[in-house]
Amino acid sequence: MRVVAVTGLKGGVGKTSTAVNLAALAASEGHRTVLWDLDPQGAATFCLALRPKLRGGADKLVRGGRNGLLDVSRRTMVENLRVVPADGTTREIDKLLWSSNKPTKLIRRLIAGLKNDADVLVLDCPPGLSPVVEAVAGVADILLVPVIPEPLPFRALARFSDFLIDTRAASPEILGPFLSMVDRRKPMHRRIEAEILASGKFLGAAIPESSAVARMGEEQVPAVVSSPYSLAGREYRKLWAEALERAGA
Ligand SMILES: Nc1ncnc2c1ncn2[C@@H]1O[C@H](COP(=O)(O)OP(=O)(O)OP(=O)(O)O)[C@@H](O)[C@H]1O
Ligand SMILES: [Mg+2]
C-alpha cells in the first residue's frame, strides 16, 4: 500500500482539493483507495458529499483495533474510493497522539490494518505543524505540499522542512512541493513559476487557479470527475503520476 499525504504549514492553499482529486484519480485507475480526512474542518468529507460523522469518534478509532480505519470508512460516489470522514472529534487526534509517547507508532498501527484492503491511502492533513502532521510524516511515502507562487509561501515551505528535521519525523527528501492555484495573469506568478521550473526542486505539475476546482465546494464532486478535460484535471493527473513514481510504486 502506498501512503500519499497532502500537507504543509499554510492554510487555504489547495491541500484538500488536491487530496480529493488525487484520491479520485487513484480510484479511477482501479486502485482500492482510502482517503482519510484528518482535518476537523471536514472539507474533504464535504467535497465527497459525505456527512461529517466519524462512527464512534476519533478516540475509539485511535485506541481501537486493527480494522479501525476500514470499519469507519464509507463508500463514496466514486467507485473504489472510500473515505474516513472527519467530524468534531477529529481534533482530539492531536491530543491523543500528543499524550502517547509514540505518535507515529499509533498511526502506523492503524494504517497497517488497511494493508489487505487498500492499495492507496491518501491523507488530507490540517494546516500547521501539529502532532498529527508529525506522525503522518513518519508513515507517508511522499508528502505533497502545495505552494502558491508568491514569496511568503516559500518561507513556509522552508519552515516545514526544518520541522521534519527538528522532530526527526522524516527526511525532507520525502517532500514533494508543487505549485498550486497558479494564476498566469499575474506577472509574479509567471516569474516565480519560471524560476521554480528552472530550479528542478519542485514536481513538474502546476495546478492552475480553476473554476472547476472552486466548484467542488458547491457541487461536492471531484474536479477530475466533473471536468476531466479541464487544465486542472490534466495537471492533477500529472501530479498523481509523479506522486506515485516518487512514492516508489
Ligand atoms: N486550483 C484551485 N483553483 C481555484 N480554487 C481553488 C483551487 N484550489 C483550491 N481552491 C479553493 O480555495 C479554497 C481552499 O482550498 P482547499 O480547501 O483545497 O485548501 P486547504 O489548503 O486544504 O485549506 P485548509 O488549510 O483550510 O485545509 C477552497 O475554497 C477551494 O475551493
Ligand atoms: Mg484542507
Side-chain angles (χ1 to χ4, degrees):
M1 184 175 70
R2 297 291 143 194
V3 182
V4 175
V6 190
T7 181
L9 185 48
K10 287 199 68 78
V13 295
K15 295 183 296 299
T16 297
S17 306
T18 300
V20 169
N21 280 299
L22 296 194
L25 286 172
S28 74
E29 288 176 358
H31 302 292
R32 294 166 303 165
T33 304
V34 175
L35 169 60
W36 185 0
D37 187 350
L38 281 161
D39 187 339
Q41 292 181 87
T45 303
F46 182 83
C47 285
L48 285 158
L50 290 178
R51 278 196 318 126
K53 179 77 193 119
L54 181 60
R55 233 179 278 149
D59 184 77
K60 185 162 174 240
L61 174 63
V62 173
R63 295 176 200 270
R66 274 180 67 83
N67 289 330
L69 282 173
L70 193 68
D71 288 348
V72 297
S73 69
R74 309 256 302 275
R75 291 176 55 172
T76 67
M77 83 287 257
V78 181
E79 203 186 336
N80 294 320
L81 176 58
R82 301 184 69 87
V83 169
V84 176
D87 68 8
T89 68
T90 298
R91 70 187 168 84
E92 293 165 16
I93 296 179
D94 258 334
K95 220 164 43 193
L96 292 162
L97 293 179
W98 187 252
S99 56
S100 108
N101 48 7
K102 297 265 189 318
T104 302
K105 219 169 154 183
L106 266 181
I107 293 284
R108 183 169 286 134
R109 184 178 54 84
L110 270 175
I111 290 178
L114 272 181
K115 214 170 53 211
N116 298 326
D117 299 287
D119 308 308
V120 173
L121 173 63
V122 178
L123 302 168
D124 183 30
C125 296
L129 307 175
S130 57
V132 165
V133 172
E134 187 180 331
V136 161
V139 296
D141 295 303
I142 182 166
L143 300 176
L144 292 172
V145 182
V147 179
I148 298 176
E150 291 168 4
L152 288 176
F154 283 87
R155 299 176 63 85
L157 179 62
R159 291 291 82 73
F160 193 74
S161 176
D162 293 343
F163 165 75
L164 296 182
I165 296 168
D166 295 346
T167 58
R168 302 189 186 173
S171 155
E173 282 173 18
I174 70 163
L175 283 175
F178 65 95
L179 289 175
S180 179
M181 300 170 97
V182 180
D183 182 352
R184 298 194 176 97
R185 290 168 305 184
K186 294 181 179 162
M188 178 187 276
H189 280 212
R190 290 202 303 274
R191 177 172 57 75
I192 293 183
E193 183 181 19
E195 286 168 15
I196 287 295
L197 292 181
S199 79
K201 287 183 181 150
F202 273 44
L203 297 174
I207 312 301
E209 180 79 37
S210 151
S211 56
V213 180
R215 280 199 308 274
M216 285 170 55
E218 226 165 52
E219 297 173 352
Q220 297 182 286
V221 178
V224 293
V225 173
S226 64
S227 310
Y229 304 111
S230 59
L231 179 57
R234 202 174 75 201
E235 291 300 308
Y236 278 129
R237 281 194 292 278
K238 188 167 163 187
L239 182 62
W240 172 239
E242 291 183 290
L244 259 194
E245 195 188 325
R246 283 276 298 270

